Amino acid sequence: MILELKGINKEFKIDKSTSFNALSNINLGFNRGEFVSILGPSGCGKSTLLNIIAGLDMPSSGELFIDSKSTKKYKAKNWDFYRKNNIGFVFQQFNLIEHLSALENVELVMSLTGQKKAARNKRALELLESVGISKEHALHTPAQLSGGQKQRVAIARALANDPDIILADEPTGALDTKTGLQVMELLQEVAKDKLIIMVTHNKKLAYDYSSRVIQILDGEIQSDEQLKQQSNINTNKTLNKKNKAMPFREAFKLSLRNMKKKIGRVAITAFAGSVGIAGISLVLGLSNGANIFIDQQITKFATSNVVSVSKLEADPKNKEKVKPVTDKKKYEFVLDNDKVASLRKKVPDNIGNWKYENKVIETQSGALADKDHRQHINDALEGRLPVDGKDEVIVNRAFARSMITNGKEKLTSEDTSKMLNKKVKLDLASSGFDGKQEFKVVGIMDEIDVNQPYIYYSYNDMIDYYKDSKILVKDEQGNKVDPSLIKAMGIKLTSAYDSLMKKPKSYEVVLKDAKDAKEVAGWISHNGKDVQDNSELNVSMMGGQDKVGTNVTSFSLVFQMALSTIVNIAQLVMIAFLIIALVVSSILIAIVLFSSILERKSEIGILKAVGARKKDVMRVFQSEAILLGLFAGLIGIVVSFIIAPLAEMIVNNFVDFDVSGLVKIPLSGQLFGVQVPFLQLISLVLISTLVAFIAGYLPSRRATKMQVIDALRDE
């Protein structure tokens, strides 16, 4: 016997004090080749008995033997294995999955055992043809088939995995007489080498087609009649043993077909879920574009390829203090960098007061790189560069504004003629030199306007001017002192003269390309070692002047890093808010999946009835979550590219300069030092998918806990 029931009882509790017996002391055995009909009126326990045989319901007491082995210790996975391999179901209401074609309904059962697509397709077509379904109708969905055709498809599905046992629950109940007879003949044909157990209340059909009829009344067996001899087959043949899983691609296909039916809801959910991803994409684009914009603007500073270098070492006389390094040889390591053009003495920072007419302009100043390394200036310069020996300078717009309008108005390109060829005077008295020199403004730098006046001069001119100027020294009464008497009087030279003309405490490094400033500054500050972390360079440039080691200073670099830090902080703040949007979208996806589970109860019941494991059911709904996340991510990326130019237009309306290209959504990124195309976009889609996958976990778990009988009854 392949099935044996011993002392089976099934009690249903109505409430705490009331119950009734659906089955009482059922003892039956079944063999291959039998066509067994279980007869009885509605509510007599027929379907309950069928459900216990299928492992869809458990008896209150008694024991079911399969292949002479007790099922008392069976776990859920054992029952799934049994139904998947050995049971074929034919339901009264057909229970076909509506969004799959007839062919796909039959293939589904085989996909649970891991059969390959080609083999599944071939067998499904053969089975459908054998039950009278043409190739044309095989591609129709259940809604396009008649009742008889649906039941034929259900029979083909029941045979798909070549099961040993066919269970038919009122297979002709929803059919007309003629079609019902055709279905019975099909089942009779199948019964030659299988066990068929059919539940019916139609006595005539049972006696006309069955080899054995069992009558039940009020949960008890009334009779067990053998009508025909059992087919001459090998009754000792063991049950099939195939245990493979449903591939993820099949789960995805089921989800896609279901989502196609609800395309409107899916679109709305995916679009709502895309908000967070679109926002993150735009924030990354804004941050990336802002940093690129900053880098581009920084190279427009006239001295962006000139950085100041100084060294501090421990004072041997007082170990707690440091002193400046004045030995030039200790600076020569910077020339080992192939991006460095030259090392030169630094002109003092405070070289004197600049005057225009009767106004003293509070300004900073800097020496330009040599004429061979000024290419970065050309695009940002109105006018021309200074010529050595001609006493010429260039200024930025803030300086020009101070000259022309006392700094109260912004200048336009039409004001260029007012700025150029003006004369400014340099008074070096504050630096310890006697004399005033007049310079002509020959160019205006179009730098980022931070309202800080800046003037740029030729390095060679200023060095020569210092050398040619007389030293200005005053006594305690403020009277000028003859320079020749300085030593005799014991008066110390000024710091400006000392640092420039004797042993300078710092030098200037001229770079071949302004774009390399940050890299080279980091390399120098770490004594010839590359800096991977910009925060290390930041400390070196902005807080390391009292520490032993090499310090680098550059107004343009400090400005660049400060702006980049602000951009990065803003990016983190915005992303934090957008993460909240992702969480909200994940909750929405979870709600949609819960709704989908409620709508697909019948499908869950069918899947479990034909042997789908909990993992298989979970995969179906996890696949739906993954697809929603994938669609949301892709939509988010597309939306961000659409919004990007609009965002730039809005920003342009609020600022006075052109920020076209400010939102540059990165199309690639570095992974382990390798540039990967579309890395950041792919990462965003993966994040969206992962968030949706996590959001779909609980709903998917709920689907696995749904009882088969309840799910099918709900339909």
Side-chain angles (χ1 to χ4, degrees):
M1 293 182 184
I2 60 173
L3 281 181
E4 188 175 3
L5 293 85
K6 290 185 177 181
I8 295 295
N9 294 282
K10 181 62 181 180
E11 182 182 6
F12 288 102
K13 288 190 176 182
I14 299 173
D15 53 42
K16 289 184 179 180
S17 59
T18 310
S19 64
F20 76 93
N21 288 327
L23 295 173
S24 298
N25 194 31
I26 302 297
N27 294 282
L28 291 169
F30 302 98
N31 275 314
R32 293 179 185 276
E34 288 189 298
F35 189 148
V36 182
S37 288
I38 300 176
L39 269 176
S42 297
C44 71
K46 305 187 304 295
S47 294
T48 301
L49 178 59
L50 205 67
N51 290 333
I52 288 173
I53 291 172
L56 298 178
D57 203 354
M58 296 296 112
S60 302
S61 62
E63 203 165 355
L64 172 66
F65 291 85
I66 300 173
D67 249 357
S68 301
K69 294 178 182 177
S70 173
T71 59
K72 277 209 166 186
K73 294 184 179 179
Y74 266 30
K75 296 180 181 178
K77 64 180 181 180
N78 301 113
W79 288 115
D80 292 340
F81 176 80
Y82 166 61
R83 286 193 297 271
K84 177 168 62 176
N85 290 285
N86 309 123
I87 297 291
F89 260 105
V90 181
F91 300 98
Q92 179 179 350
Q93 298 299 330
F94 321 126
N95 284 331
L96 300 175
I97 296 175
E98 292 296 323
H99 53 265
L100 297 181
S101 68
L103 180 66
E104 289 166 335
N105 267 282
V106 178
E107 284 188 28
L108 175 64
V109 182
M110 292 182 277
S111 74
L112 294 174
T113 58
Q115 291 189 46
K116 292 183 179 179
K117 174 68 177 174
R120 294 201 313 261
N121 186 265
K122 181 181 178 182
R123 176 163 172 76
L125 285 171
E126 289 173 351
L127 285 170
L128 287 169
E129 187 177 353
S130 70
V131 297
I133 299 294
S134 65
K135 285 187 178 181
E136 179 185 351
H137 288 101
L139 301 177
H140 289 179
T141 60
Q144 298 169 310
L145 300 175
S146 67
Q149 288 173 321
K150 289 179 185 178
Q151 197 60 291
R152 290 170 185 272
V153 174
I155 293 171
R157 180 183 64 188
L159 297 171
N161 275 341
D162 192 22
D164 304 276
I165 304 162
I166 303 291
L167 302 179
D169 188 2
E170 300 282 6
T172 63
L175 304 176
D176 59 67
T177 303
K178 182 180 178 182
T179 306
L181 291 174
Q182 292 173 344
V183 167
M184 291 302 296
E185 287 174 4
L186 274 172
L187 290 174
Q188 191 178 51
E189 179 68 24
V190 169
K192 289 180 180 178
D193 61 349
K194 299 182 186 299
L195 166 63
I196 292 185
I197 302 176
M198 178 181 73
V199 165
T200 183
H201 62 271
N202 190 320
K203 191 172 183 179
K204 185 177 186 324
L205 286 179
Y207 279 92
D208 285 350
Y209 289 94
S210 305
S211 62
R212 178 181 172 189
V213 176
I214 299 170
Q215 296 198 47
I216 295 181
L217 182 64
D218 297 331
E220 296 180 350
I221 296 175
Q222 301 297 308
S223 64
D224 185 350
E225 302 176 67
Q226 189 77 39
L227 304 179
K228 300 174 184 176
Q229 289 297 319
Q230 184 176 310
S231 301
N232 185 22
I233 61 170
N234 181 10
T235 57
N236 295 320
K237 182 182 176 184
T238 57
L239 299 180
N240 292 325
K241 304 291 182 184
K242 295 171 284 184
N243 192 22
K244 292 186 179 180
M246 173 192 275
F248 248 118
R249 64 178 177 273
E250 296 302 321
F252 276 113
K253 184 169 73 174
L254 279 174
S255 296
L256 273 172
R257 291 297 178 85
N258 177 64
M259 293 168 78
K260 188 177 179 181
K261 285 176 60 181
K262 299 156 187 153
I263 189 68
R265 185 174 70 184
V266 170
I268 292 171
T269 305
F271 186 78
S274 72
V275 172
I277 292 299
I280 292 174
S281 178
L282 285 169
V283 168
L284 290 175
L286 181 60
S287 174
N288 182 52
N291 282 318
I292 291 172
F293 180 79
I294 290 168
D295 289 344
Q296 289 172 342
Q297 297 304 314
I298 291 303
T299 59
K300 291 182 180 180
F301 280 95
T303 55
S304 59
N305 68 326
V306 178
V307 295
S308 299
V309 182
S310 62
K311 278 193 172 188
L312 294 172
E313 61 184 0
D315 191 337
K317 296 179 182 179
N318 187 345
K319 299 294 184 182
E320 295 181 359
K321 292 185 178 181
V322 294
K323 67 174 187 176
V325 174
T326 57
D327 185 356
K328 185 178 180 180
K329 289 183 179 180
K330 292 187 177 182
Y331 287 88
E332 288 179 351
F333 79 93
V334 298
L335 297 178
D336 294 340
N337 192 303
D338 59 4
K339 295 180 179 180
V340 172
S342 63
L343 180 72
R344 66 191 189 188
K345 294 179 182 179
K346 181 171 173 25
V347 178
D349 291 321
N350 183 15
I351 62 173
N353 292 323
W354 290 89
K355 295 182 178 181
Y356 171 66
E357 295 180 345
N358 296 322
K359 293 183 292 187
V360 176
I361 301 173
E362 294 182 5
T363 183
Q364 294 189 32
S365 58
L368 297 169
D370 57 75
K371 61 183 180 180
D372 294 329
H373 299 101
R374 297 178 183 173
Q375 297 89 339
H376 65 285
I377 298 176
N378 295 332
D379 292 338
L381 181 66
E382 294 181 34
R384 62 177 177 81
L385 286 164
V387 177
D388 287 352
K390 297 290 186 179
D391 295 332
E392 296 174 341
V393 294
I394 57 176
V395 298
N396 67 359
R397 290 192 175 276
F399 190 100
R401 189 163 58 247
S402 298
M403 291 166 55
I404 304 298
T405 66
N406 293 319
K408 294 180 181 179
E409 299 174 19
K410 290 191 175 182
L411 298 176
T412 65
S413 57
E414 285 129 16
D415 296 314
T416 303
S417 59
K418 298 178 184 178
M419 297 183 255
L420 296 175
N421 300 315
K422 297 289 184 181
K423 296 290 183 72
V424 291
K425 289 183 180 179
L426 172 62
D427 184 355
L428 288 177
S430 61
S431 297
F433 291 85
D434 189 11
K436 296 178 181 178
Q437 178 66 30
E438 197 171 61
F439 292 84
K440 183 168 74 171
V441 176
V442 295
I444 292 92
M445 288 297 297
D446 185 20
E447 302 170 342
I448 293 179
D449 195 343
V450 291
N451 206 29
Q452 173 61 59
Y454 227 98
I455 192 165
Y456 304 104
Y457 45 77
S458 166
Y459 176 81
N460 293 330
D461 280 0
M462 197 54 64
I463 290 293
D464 292 341
Y465 185 52
Y466 261 89
K467 288 179 180 178
D468 294 340
S469 297
K470 294 180 180 178
I471 301 169
L472 173 64
V473 182
K474 294 182 180 181
D475 59 21
E476 293 178 357
Q477 288 73 37
N479 299 316
K480 291 183 181 180
V481 178
D482 186 339
S484 63
L485 301 176
I486 289 176
K487 281 189 178 181
M489 295 175 63
I491 298 174
K492 293 182 178 179
L493 297 174
T494 62
S495 60
Y497 177 80
D498 185 53
S499 56
L500 180 67
M501 306 305 291
K502 294 181 70 179
K503 290 186 176 181
K505 298 175 183 177
S506 59
Y507 289 82
E508 287 181 337
V509 176
V510 179
L511 310 178
K512 295 176 182 177
D513 192 331
K515 293 178 182 178
D516 299 325
K518 186 186 291 186
E519 179 187 343
V520 175
W523 187 86
I524 293 171
S525 67
H526 284 65
N527 295 304
K529 296 178 182 178
D530 291 331
V531 174
Q532 302 299 326
D533 187 354
N534 282 339
S535 63
E536 294 180 0
L537 173 58
N538 208 17
V539 170
S540 172
M541 296 188 67
M542 302 179 72
Q545 273 64 18
D546 59 343
K547 297 179 181 178
V548 173
T550 305
N551 298 311
V552 181
T553 55
S554 164
F555 172 75
S556 59
L557 270 182
V558 171
F559 185 69
Q560 178 187 25
M561 288 191 292
L563 285 180
S564 295
T565 300
I566 292 171
V567 169
N568 291 335
I569 292 172
Q571 172 183 307
L572 290 175
V573 171
M574 287 187 282
I575 286 178
F577 281 106
L578 290 166
I579 286 173
I580 296 174
L582 278 179
V583 172
V584 172
S585 70
S586 70
I587 294 172
L588 177 63
I589 288 171
I591 293 170
V592 169
L593 279 178
F594 272 119
S595 300
S596 181
I597 287 166
L598 293 175
E599 292 169 355
R600 297 169 72 183
K601 270 189 175 183
S602 175
E603 183 180 336
I604 295 168
I606 294 166
L607 285 169
K608 286 192 169 186
V610 298
R613 305 169 307 162
K614 285 185 177 181
K615 277 185 181 179
D616 298 325
V617 175
M618 195 163 186
R619 279 181 179 180
V620 171
F621 291 95
Q622 283 179 328
S623 299
E624 187 166 334
I626 288 170
L627 288 169
L628 280 171
L630 178 64
F631 296 152
L634 293 172
I635 291 171
I637 296 297
V638 172
V639 168
S640 66
F641 275 98
I642 294 172
I643 293 177
L646 299 176
E648 288 174 5
M649 288 173 59
I650 293 170
V651 174
N652 268 318
N653 289 333
F654 284 94
V655 297
D656 293 329
F657 50 89
D658 183 19
V659 290
S660 298
L662 182 62
V663 182
K664 288 186 179 293
I665 298 171
L667 294 178
S668 63
Q670 282 205 343
L671 182 65
F672 305 117
V674 178
Q675 198 72 14
V676 180
F678 306 109
L679 177 65
Q680 295 202 41
L681 300 185
I682 293 170
S683 298
L684 287 176
V685 173
L686 289 177
I687 289 170
S688 175
T689 306
L690 178 62
V691 168
F693 176 77
I694 294 170
Y697 179 76
L698 287 178
S700 301
R701 287 274 295 175
R702 179 176 175 177
T704 66
K705 295 180 183 298
M706 195 172 290
Q707 296 299 315
V708 182
I709 296 174
D710 295 336
L712 293 176
R713 279 178 186 160
D714 186 73
E715 179 66 15

